[in-house]
Amino acid sequence: MLRVTLACAFVLAGAAYGQGVVTGELRYVDREFDFLDGFNGTETERPVPRALVHVLDASDESTLASGYTELDGGFAIPVVGSGPKDVLVRAFTISAPFGGNPVYVQDLSLNIYSTTSPVLSMPSLDQPFDAGVLVAPKVLGPGYQGGPFGILDQGVRAALYVMAQGEPGLPMRVDLFWPEPGGSFASGNAAHIQDDDGFDDIVVLHELGHVMQHLYSDSDSPGGSHSFSQSDQDPRLSMGEGWASFFAGAVRQHFGEPNPGFYMDCKGNGVTGPFSVQLKMRFEDGQPYANSTGGEADEGAVFCALWDLVDRADTNDGFAGDDDLVDGSFEIAPGLDLDAAQWAAFTGGEVLGTFSLHVVDLWDGYFVDAGAVRYDEMSSALDAWKIRVRPDGAEPNDSTSSAVPIALGDAWSETRTLYHATSGGPAPGNGDVDQWSFHLDADAVFEVETRYPGGNPDAETYADTLLSVFNPSGALLATGGDGGVGRNAKLSDLAAPISGTYRVAVRAESGSRPTGSYELRARQTGVLGPPQISGVTPSSVQTLQTTAQPTVIVSGTNLNGFTGVAIGGVPAAATLQPDGDLAVTLPLVDQVGALDLSVTSPLGTGSFPIDVHPPPAPLLNIQDGLSFWFSFTPLSFKLAAEPNDLAFLLFSLSGDPTPIPGIVDLGIGGGIGGIVEVKTVPLSGGGLHAFSLGIGTAPIGVDFHFQLAVLSAATGTLPLVTSNVVKGKKLN
Amino acid sequence: MPRIPSPRAWATGLFVVAAPALAVSFGSPLRSSDAPRASLSLAPAGSTCEPRAPLAILVDPPESAGASLELQVVIEPEVDVLDLGFAVRLPNGGDVVALSESAFGARLKGERVASDVRIATPVGAGFAIELVATARISDGSAAGGTSSIQTVERVVWGEPVADVLGRGAFTHDARRAGPIASRDVPAIHRPAGEVR
């Protein structure tokens, strides 16, 4: 209707000024998609809005006149002259200016795209002429296809959307580049669209979302590879990427697209049907990643939550009504519709002023810059995506006097939040301090720690907690932000000097993650005293391995103050683990059977039996299994068999076997002439022997082969029993 | 099998066989028609920011590529997958000489799999390989209860010839200093009054 009206206007104008007018309609071939099927096989023609159109003299392609299409793709371009003329109508992927600046779609060589009519014969230049319908076809590349005018359509829609929120126009030109071989991305005022994203409207709008962040707001995203179902991202990335995907849905909703609320990236090679989908996620319910989406550090949670703040009960998303309380039936910020409120927050001082922008900053912006007043409904929408911008049920517990008592034990608390209102109302907010208290008797050993909600290994919160423990007099006993899983804090092996009420304060450790969610527990782990060992894992170990000696884990209480560890009286190296256990490296113990593993501290010694046994067959260890040797380091040999066996250490340059029936069946030598005996070793009562051998004069780069042949002390008969073969090479 | 772990490979735990002279690990030998040529340098990785499917492709490509190259590709599903597949595409030509594994069945989140790839590279100023991981996942919103996901990792050596689409055109525009350079495609035209 608009086109017809304009055409009539120019007809009248042409009559008055001797001008003609060329009218017509510009469309592009689009590939339709939907959430279930991806590209569904339907190709439609859509109008190209606000595109530059030239009328050319067909004889030399000089320009006779130019103008822009309207939103419905119609154009009416006045031309000057008289008499018949053959003309071309050429449309470009250049938009009309929006506040002075247009949108361009180009290839990487900075060529605009255009589409041109066949030669059209105008009966007379001073008469109206209907050029008909021009349809920009699909553009086919090797293995992909796209629609440059469709990409322009998305650019125009993005510009019109931000102008509908009150922006006067684009502050600078927006460039869209296609086909980009390296992947879709945005940089400054440019969006690069990957070759196979040429019909992925949502990907184009996502990248335009990044451009709009740059032009009107802010992003502190560090970039990098990212995906849905990741709930422990950098929260700055989650905000940047989540908002860009949200923007695509908001624009599509603004223009009345059916089912506008989802992200989708499809294969661009022309395939159709569900298998055409590479990645998709629905904003309304998070499918198919709903179960693994949540928190401030999850781009999916960000766009789902923001979507709930702009979608309405009448949004055509395939769901009856709305799944959240913000349904468009009331203003969340007086005088602003849902999109305008979001935009006011997104472009306001709260967002622009932060150095580490995350979704909670945008939340605060709703109240600081958009004047939001519907805290309950809005926080409920965010809470559904585990973005918890509300005080927890134990508040107020910010001060020493308001510390909330908790029970000591293994159970974790319910999920708590670190959101604390900083004004008279419930929002905006910032970091909180939660104070908890518990009773301990003197000499109790205890620990406190935090974890992610539900112990989720993927966090589902951006919280980074810091713990501070105070004794009954209020003096700081310990503080720290590390030791727990991920960013969680754990303070272990704390000793209670006196009986009384102890207090733990939980706050954010990082200013860039000021809020978030956590769970807490405090438990007594022992009583001050000598080490007490409750278990050793594994409980049975072999005297020797082909690689480095094994580690056994010693569990118990009061192990943290250890000063020495021994097995069978042989000192052993040990390190304290974060969970209070000791990791003990088995020494060369020249005994077998049940031995004492003892841990000593200034308060005494605790012990526990451990079974040490010989290997089931003779075993040779050289350099703990390292097969590259150096002349400046003597080779370390360790031999193990049954106690009191007699071992022959053999050497050869050949790795071929040497069978000597009834005597020995060796894996090295390639014949008896290729074998050299290095050493005869009577093994000890523990079946072990160790020595070093310099190899400074041995040849370089030659494979050495070693093996043991062992005479059993128990039988004293042939054949000899052989060990594993060790192969190595001297590098210098 | 000689394998040369690069410093970056050590850091990531991935081992990549880089040098053609050492490419003797698996697959059939290169065709005798593959002429030796100067090696091509690895192009800088793209700065893509669009979300990828939750299938991470981990690869440490060699810094240069000659007539052949070998890669070990590790795929890590970031969600539970019902089946997992891997393929290699060569948009600029060349041949996949060997691909050790292409189907991995059901895998749990975080359960890495690996495939060794040997490629005879095309002749030219540059080429790309596309590593394609595909999987089906459980999806309560989809007909049949499953949907597909796919991640494509493109690695480029040298400078492949850019795609040129459409016909070059120059159009003078009084509002601009110079002509508009465009890649032009003929419009589908329906004359006035013609019903589609």
Side-chain angles (χ1 to χ4, degrees), chain A residues 607-650:
Chain A
S607 64
F608 201 86
I610 182 170
D611 175 62
V612 179
H613 59 81
L619 190 146
L620 176 61
N621 174 312
I622 302 178
Q623 293 292 93
D624 285 342
L626 297 177
S627 56
F628 296 114
W629 307 331
F630 301 95
S631 59
F632 49 80
T633 305
L635 285 188
S636 165
F637 288 80
K638 295 192 272 286
L639 291 56
E642 293 291 338
N644 304 314
D645 283 354
L646 181 63
F648 303 94
L649 176 61
L650 307 175

Side-chain angles (χ1 to χ4, degrees), chain A residues 412-413 416 418 434 436 447-455 461 463-468 480-491 504-509 517-522:
Chain A
W412 292 90
S413 71
R416 305 299 188 185
L418 289 174
D434 290 342
W436 312 93
E447 64 183 21
V448 292
E449 63 180 312
T450 61
R451 71 171 187 176
Y452 299 133
T461 178
D464 184 3
T465 50
L466 174 75
L467 293 173
S468 300
D482 300 325
V485 175
R487 291 180 302 278
N488 285 288
K490 181 175 183 179
L491 299 174
V504 57
V506 187
R507 57 165 56 86
E509 183 175 29
S517 312
Y518 70 94
E519 293 175 2
L520 175 76
R521 74 176 175 187

Side-chain angles (χ1 to χ4, degrees), chain A residues 27 45 54 63 66 90 112 114-116 131 133 135 144 181 184 195 197 207 225-227 241 265 278, chain B residues 47-50 52 54 141 148-150 154 163 171-173 175 181-185 187-190 196:
Chain A
R27 301 176 183 171
E45 294 177 3
H54 277 222
T63 297
S66 64
R90 177 172 293 163
I112 298 294
S114 62
T115 190
T116 305
V133 178
V135 183
Y144 60 87
S184 293
D195 45 24
D197 290 336
E207 300 304 339
S225 176
H226 59 98
S227 180
E241 297 297 334
D265 185 358
Q278 293 179 299
Chain B
S47 52
T48 180
C49 80
E50 63 181 305
R52 60 164 172 75
S141 66
S148 66
I149 57 175
Q150 183 183 75
R154 193 179 311 201
D163 299 334
T171 309
H172 287 279
D173 186 325
R175 282 168 286 206
S182 65
R183 304 304 304 179
D184 193 75
V185 293
I188 302 164
H189 180 244
R190 287 197 294 277
R196 180 169 182 247

Side-chain angles (χ1 to χ4, degrees), chain A residues 368-393:
Chain A
V368 175
D369 297 309
V373 294
R374 303 301 287 257
Y375 169 83
D376 289 339
E377 295 90 342
M378 294 171 65
S379 64
S380 169
L382 268 66
D383 204 61
W385 297 103
K386 301 168 187 167
I387 300 172
R388 301 181 178 95
V389 283
R390 55 171 171 75
D392 58 59

